[in-house]
Each structure stands twice: as C-alpha cells, then as structure tokens.
Amino acid sequence: MNAASAKYQETYAKGQNILTKGQAAHKAYMVEKGAVRVYLNNDGKIVELARLGPGEIFGETALFEGGVYGANIDAAEDSVLNVITPGWLDGAIEDVDPMVAALIRMLIARLKSTNEALVKSETREFIDVAFV
C-alpha cells in the first residue's frame, strides 16, 4: 500500500457533524471509539435511523459507487473514527488471499447491482405515485 492509501483516523466532539446528506462521498468510516447518530432531516423533522458504535461502519457506498451520502451523521459521543478510502480498500484487498479477494470483489459487484436495481425500482415507484 502506498502512503496515499494509508489508514488514518479523525476525531469528532459530541454533537459535531461528520457527514451531511447530499455531500460528495469519497470515504467511509469505522467507529473506533464513541458513537455516531445516523439521521435524516426532513423539513426540520429529525428521523433517527441508527446509532452506531465501535466496530460499525458507515458511508460504505462511497467505497463502491462514489456519488453522495444518503444521510446525516453526527457524533453522538466524543468519537474516534478510522477512515476508509477506496485506495486503502483496494490495497487491503490486494494483500489478502486471492480467493478472499475474489469473494470480496464479487460481493462488491453484487452490492452495486442491487443498489442500482433498488434505485431504479424506487424511481419507478415515485413516478407511478407522481402520476396518480
């Protein structure tokens, strides 16, 4: 792995924003210490989707698709997060057994395909509702 793809950490104070829905997605995170709150803000109405703690990962679609983040994330407690970049993931996959690497790449491809189908399905459902 090269220096550009090396693992690093970011620290956030309780209440500090980490990600904002719609922000360009370039990295994922794994909670090392503390906890984060995943939520949506719909015209001032807050809908909490999850609270994640040590060992849990968020923002993972950035590793496979880029695009934008689909939810807001704030530190629910003082938190230390491991940053996972696409370059770091690629290097980590190269360092594992070839069969494990093939399995990971296959799962990533299936996740992309499933996500694309879900987006198309949701879009069609939205269009159907919009025309009713």
Side-chain angles (χ1 to χ4, degrees):
M1 258 184 268
N2 64 37
S5 62
K7 177 181 161 184
Y8 65 97
Q9 295 181 323
E10 293 179 0
T11 303
Y12 293 88
K14 180 179 180 177
Q16 188 176 358
N17 179 258
I18 301 165
L19 301 176
T20 302
K21 180 181 178 181
Q23 175 184 345
H26 301 292
K27 54 189 173 182
Y29 299 85
M30 184 177 82
V31 179
E32 178 74 24
K33 294 179 186 171
V36 301
R37 178 175 73 124
V38 182
Y39 66 96
L40 295 174
N41 182 343
N42 189 4
D43 293 328
K45 181 180 178 186
I46 304 296
V47 179
E48 189 162 322
L49 303 174
R51 183 180 171 106
L52 306 175
E56 294 186 282
I57 294 174
F58 61 93
E60 67 280 354
T61 57
L63 302 173
F64 315 128
E65 302 174 351
V68 297
Y69 293 113
N72 302 296
I73 314 279
D74 291 347
E77 304 171 3
D78 290 346
S79 300
V80 177
L81 308 177
N82 294 316
V83 177
I84 307 166
T85 63
W88 181 88
L89 181 62
D90 289 343
I93 290 171
E94 288 175 16
D95 291 343
V96 300
D97 178 277
M99 287 198 311
V100 173
L103 177 62
I104 292 169
R105 287 189 177 99
M106 182 268 309
L107 290 171
I108 290 170
R110 287 189 182 169
L111 178 62
K112 279 183 178 178
S113 176
T114 301
N115 285 348
E116 288 169 4
L118 182 60
V119 167
K120 287 178 185 174
S121 173
E122 288 178 352
T123 301
R124 273 190 296 236
E125 184 176 306
F126 174 76
I127 290 169
D128 290 344
V129 170
F131 287 118
V132 170

